[in-house]
Amino acid sequence: MKLEEFKKKRFGEDPELKKEYDKLDLEYKIISQVIDLRNKKKITQKQLAELVNTKQPSIARLESGDYNPTVDFLKKIAEVLGADLEINFISKAS
């Protein structure tokens, strides 16, 4: 069974699960982008940590979702990885 099929089945069975999953969507997107950019630059967590003046466990916690980074920290990471950090507020349909 593919992931999308599994999610559709599980979310259909448990609407609360879908609600909680959706709450974490932004965090997962940020984490995925940091990991992808770091891998494209072919640098390790330790190297990224040195470039943003922190320690490797901080990068590991960020990438595992165990750390809620500040905007300043994300800006440093974006700069080092050659990316722009963009944050938007998008109105919800009412």
Side-chain angles (χ1 to χ4, degrees):
M1 175 182 296
K2 293 182 179 177
L3 177 60
E4 291 306 315
E5 293 169 355
F6 175 78
K7 289 192 305 188
K8 186 175 181 180
K9 181 178 188 289
R10 288 291 290 131
F11 294 158
E13 296 169 356
D14 188 349
E16 282 299 310
L17 177 63
K18 170 78 168 117
K19 192 177 186 181
E20 292 301 312
Y21 180 87
D22 288 345
K23 283 183 187 177
L24 297 172
D25 188 50
L26 178 61
E27 286 85 350
Y28 288 141
K29 285 179 181 175
I30 292 169
I31 291 166
S32 294
Q33 290 177 13
V34 169
I35 293 168
D36 288 345
L37 287 168
R38 182 176 60 75
N39 286 333
K40 284 178 184 170
K41 291 281 187 181
K42 296 183 174 149
I43 61 174
T44 65
Q45 288 181 346
K46 183 178 180 182
Q47 290 168 322
L48 177 57
E50 290 169 356
L51 291 168
V52 296
N53 199 29
T54 191
K55 297 191 184 306
Q56 182 272 333
S58 295
I59 303 300
R61 284 193 304 275
L62 170 67
E63 291 185 1
S64 70
D66 290 338
Y67 172 62
N68 190 9
T70 64
V71 172
D72 284 339
F73 188 64
L74 290 175
K75 286 186 337 190
K76 287 179 188 178
I77 289 175
E79 184 177 326
V80 164
L81 294 176
D84 291 321
L85 177 64
E86 183 177 288
I87 299 173
N88 296 304
F89 287 94
I90 301 170
S91 295
K92 295 179 182 180
S94 40

